[in-house]
Amino acid sequence: MIETGGSGRLWLLTGPAGGYALHLTERDELLHLHWGARIALSDAEALAADPLPGERPGESALDGHGEYPLDTDPRAVRPALSVRPGDPRGPEWCFEEYEIVTGGQARAGEGAPRGGGQGGAREGQQGGGQKGRQEGGQGGGGEELRLHFHDSRHHLDLTLHYRIRPGSDVVERWSSVTHVPGGPGGRLELLRADAATWSLPYRDGWRLSRLHGRWGAESRLVRAPLPPGEQLLAGHGHAGQRHLPWFALDAGDAGEEHGEVWTGALGWSGPWRIALSHLPGGLLQVGGGADGGDPGLAVLEPGARYTSPVFAALWTAGGFGAASRAWHAHQLAHMVPDARAVRPVAYHAGPVGGRGAAFGTQAPAAGGSYGGGAPAGPYRGERRHRELARRAAAMGVELFVVDDGPPGARLNDAAGHGDREPGAAALPDGLKPLSDEVHALDMRFGVRVDAETVGPDSDLCRAHPEWITRAPGGRAAGRPGRLLLDLARADVRDHLAGTLGALLHGAPVDHLVWESGHHGAGPGLPGEPGERCPAPPGTAHVAGLYALMDRLRADHPGVTVESSAGGGRVDLGMLERTGVLAASRNSDALDRLHIQHGFGQLLPARALATWVTGGPAPGPNHRRSSLRFRFVSAMSGALGIGGDLLAWGAEECAEAASWIALHASVRPVVQAGALYRLRPPGDGGLTAVQYVLGPDTVVLAWLPAQGFGTPVPPLRLRGLDRGASYRDMATGVVQRGAVLAERGLRTTLAGDLDAAVFHLRRV
């Protein structure tokens, strides 16, 4: 709900438990008033009437209070918006009007607008390629506040957007900047245009939680006191592998289930930046958005517009666990495509030609195999995949995925990649016969594609050398054996949309695995139709990628998509377009417990691609673990199977089938339920997570190692009805909710690399 007060110059956004308030002064200064527990409109008006602290030498009274700091006077925080060349007199911002949009219908501000700027066009749909599909969302509904400002000296229109959805405390913010035609100046360089600045109240001390890592060891959670001054979180290329665009802040006293937590995340898969400014007076401001680096974000010709990605955030009084549950509920209700449907169990069969190593035997390089690997026994080519499909179906697999689409006559990667016409070498009749057989086995058919790259010796590369992305200096961008296509170009996107559309219709294909093992780069940022705004590497490529994926999903609404970027592109922007993200290429079941613990701080189990693979685990120790441990680890998300099923024995296949059946019985609770982290992964002791959905509770527990004489503690469950009884669906044993919460659930785990699944139902 969005309420207006203060003679039309105060706004209060209210969710189920939280409130967010801002106020426009008579001098057109936009001030932050409140972000925390729900307050009434009269409370917000009382906050607005309270004067700001007095000026101090070298400081501004607006420090820590400005809602979207602009470069108008000295401040302790960086301005959220900056352009070049600047007017020597500085910008002259004035407020024009506001709108509140509900269900696509806008109502103008009741208060008389102040200021008389020239006023550019007001956007009804978001443009510039940055905002993408956020306007529609998955859950629809909600209310959006739009505040319009104009800078008469630089001829810029600035719109600040605020949206709140039904049943959610998440506030979604973004900005759009338009260079208004008709001014005396020419083009402007947009150096910075943050999506939002978040202002937090005074606390004696702040603690920062963030997610960092490296390839194969992503999403590691770390918490540390936030010192005074500025701390910068940033990601170059893909969002995710080294740093995720997410933060959580508390006063140092919050726990898993208690204490105030403020947390935010960017919906952007390219270069990004989040700056945390711990100010001298104890206040804290957090600003962020896409990062254009030294050259800036874009060059705006008169009439061009830039729209930032979404920066979403929420407050909770229930600790880090409640923050995660609020994030998950918001994403499942309003962002994740087809969130009500459970994710099918997938088998990745690898390339039809048998290229690459089995996934799980070693960590596949970008572009490597996700499944079948080298041919085994008498099976080769398409015959091999037919046999893999039969064995997968017998185990209970529901989605059968092959690698790379119609590969053409693949003499080598460099020659074939990018040439999508079916050739005689591997698939003489194309994918349709295999797709038909997979469908006859009652499975869906999927294809893994690397649509963003092309082989340097491919027909496509020779025909269109201008389609290749060029790094500064003219060098072709990409990775060994792959050149990066310039997705900022409309003709490249048209070609890929047509090629992929033919693939999806021709087989037919039900599911796309969108491979991306490279960093995005591109020399241009798409703006309005017919425009082309130069931009630094990364920003343009991701903007074009979003436009292409949005187009494919609109043209093929029945096709599901997942992102496979090896731990990259783990962010809200990619989540909204795919619904399933790859947290890492590391499939080791023990390593994944740490990776999945960090992933779940922001993202739900429904969005997590998990893996059970054969052979020794990747990494330096080549750890071997039981199918039990591997399957229970992978049940924390959307289960996938890798490895060569032709090399699995009958006993192993039968055990896998039993685990898949168990997963199918508990996944509605895991993928849509409320997450409780009972015991985080540590140095080898018991770790467990719990999911609650209606009357059902599922507990996944792991014991990496047990010291001699060390007992395994019971698990004190959360989120239960203490006055009810719960039946174990496997054993029939009934226990009281209060007993499970106080004494705890006894797991019977023992030894090393043990694991178990418990499914309880209220009776």
Side-chain angles (χ1 to χ4, degrees), residues 538-630:
T539 303
H541 186 89
V542 175
L545 170 67
Y546 281 4
L548 174 61
M549 298 185 86
D550 293 345
R551 178 174 173 180
L552 285 171
R553 291 202 60 227
D555 293 344
H556 311 279
V559 176
T560 55
V561 185
E562 69 177 275
S563 172
S564 177
R569 292 180 177 168
V570 178
D571 63 272
L572 298 183
M574 189 55 65
L575 173 72
E576 194 181 24
R577 290 165 172 84
T578 63
V580 179
L581 306 174
S584 178
R585 289 198 191 277
N586 186 350
S587 62
D588 176 63
L590 185 54
D591 288 343
R592 292 285 304 204
L593 297 183
H594 295 268
I595 294 169
Q596 291 163 189
H597 177 72
F599 185 97
Q601 302 293 321
L602 171 65
L603 298 157
R606 170 65 171 68
L608 173 63
T610 57
W611 289 97
V612 173
T613 59
N621 56 16
H622 297 288
R623 182 185 296 113
R624 292 182 179 272
S625 57
S626 65
L627 270 182
R628 165 188 290 272
F629 196 85
R630 283 178 274 161

Side-chain angles (χ1 to χ4, degrees), residues 349-355 380-382 384-385 402-403 405 407 426-427 431 434:
V352 177
R355 201 167 39 91
R380 299 288 189 274
E382 189 174 354
R384 167 182 168 77
H385 274 59
V402 299
D403 190 12
L427 290 172
L431 282 175
L434 180 58

Side-chain angles (χ1 to χ4, degrees), residues 339-431:
R340 293 181 181 87
V342 295
R343 292 298 309 156
V345 177
Y347 174 68
H348 283 243
V352 177
R355 201 167 39 91
F359 187 37
T361 303
Q362 63 183 42
S369 171
Y370 268 68
Y379 300 105
R380 299 288 189 274
E382 189 174 354
R383 183 185 175 199
R384 167 182 168 77
H385 274 59
R386 292 176 184 273
E387 180 62 23
L388 286 169
R390 285 190 285 270
R391 297 193 185 193
M395 290 170 56
V397 168
E398 300 155 316
L399 169 63
F400 188 83
V401 180
V402 299
D403 190 12
D404 242 358
R410 281 187 185 274
L411 302 177
N412 54 65
D413 285 352
H417 200 75
D419 300 333
R420 298 287 179 180
E421 294 301 322
L427 290 172
D429 299 314
L431 282 175

Side-chain angles (χ1 to χ4, degrees), residues 505-754:
H505 282 307
V509 173
D510 308 300
H511 182 77
L512 274 184
V513 178
W514 195 279
E515 165 67 24
S516 173
H518 52 79
H519 292 285
L525 172 68
E528 295 301 306
E531 296 178 6
R532 189 157 165 77
C533 307
T539 303
H541 186 89
V542 175
L545 170 67
Y546 281 4
L548 174 61
M549 298 185 86
D550 293 345
R551 178 174 173 180
L552 285 171
R553 291 202 60 227
D555 293 344
H556 311 279
V559 176
T560 55
V561 185
E562 69 177 275
S563 172
S564 177
R569 292 180 177 168
V570 178
D571 63 272
L572 298 183
M574 189 55 65
L575 173 72
E576 194 181 24
R577 290 165 172 84
T578 63
V580 179
L581 306 174
S584 178
R585 289 198 191 277
N586 186 350
S587 62
D588 176 63
L590 185 54
D591 288 343
R592 292 285 304 204
L593 297 183
H594 295 268
I595 294 169
Q596 291 163 189
H597 177 72
F599 185 97
Q601 302 293 321
L602 171 65
L603 298 157
R606 170 65 171 68
L608 173 63
T610 57
W611 289 97
V612 173
T613 59
N621 56 16
H622 297 288
R623 182 185 296 113
R624 292 182 179 272
S625 57
S626 65
L627 270 182
R628 165 188 290 272
F629 196 85
R630 283 178 274 161
F631 265 100
V632 178
S633 174
M635 285 188 189
S636 298
L639 177 62
I641 313 295
D644 185 4
L645 294 185
L646 302 185
W648 290 26
E651 189 173 314
E652 194 174 17
C653 288
E655 183 182 354
S658 68
W659 286 112
I660 290 173
L662 178 58
H663 167 75
S665 69
V666 302
R667 66 180 167 184
V669 183
V670 172
Q671 295 182 8
L675 168 67
Y676 294 87
R677 292 181 283 264
L678 302 181
R679 294 179 66 93
D683 297 327
L686 179 66
T687 181
V689 294
Q690 175 190 356
Y691 305 89
V692 178
L693 182 65
D696 287 281
T697 289
V698 172
V699 177
L700 307 180
W702 305 271
L703 183 62
Q706 184 181 21
F708 182 78
T710 302
V712 178
L715 295 169
R716 296 180 62 185
L717 303 190
R718 302 172 188 154
L720 301 183
D721 182 347
R722 295 172 63 93
S725 296
Y726 289 82
R727 175 179 288 112
D728 187 309
M729 301 301 292
T731 66
V733 173
V734 176
Q735 300 184 66
R736 295 287 296 172
V739 173
L740 292 168
E742 295 300 327
R743 184 203 67 193
L745 174 71
R746 291 173 175 154
T747 66
T748 71
L749 295 179
D752 295 343
L753 297 178
D754 197 8

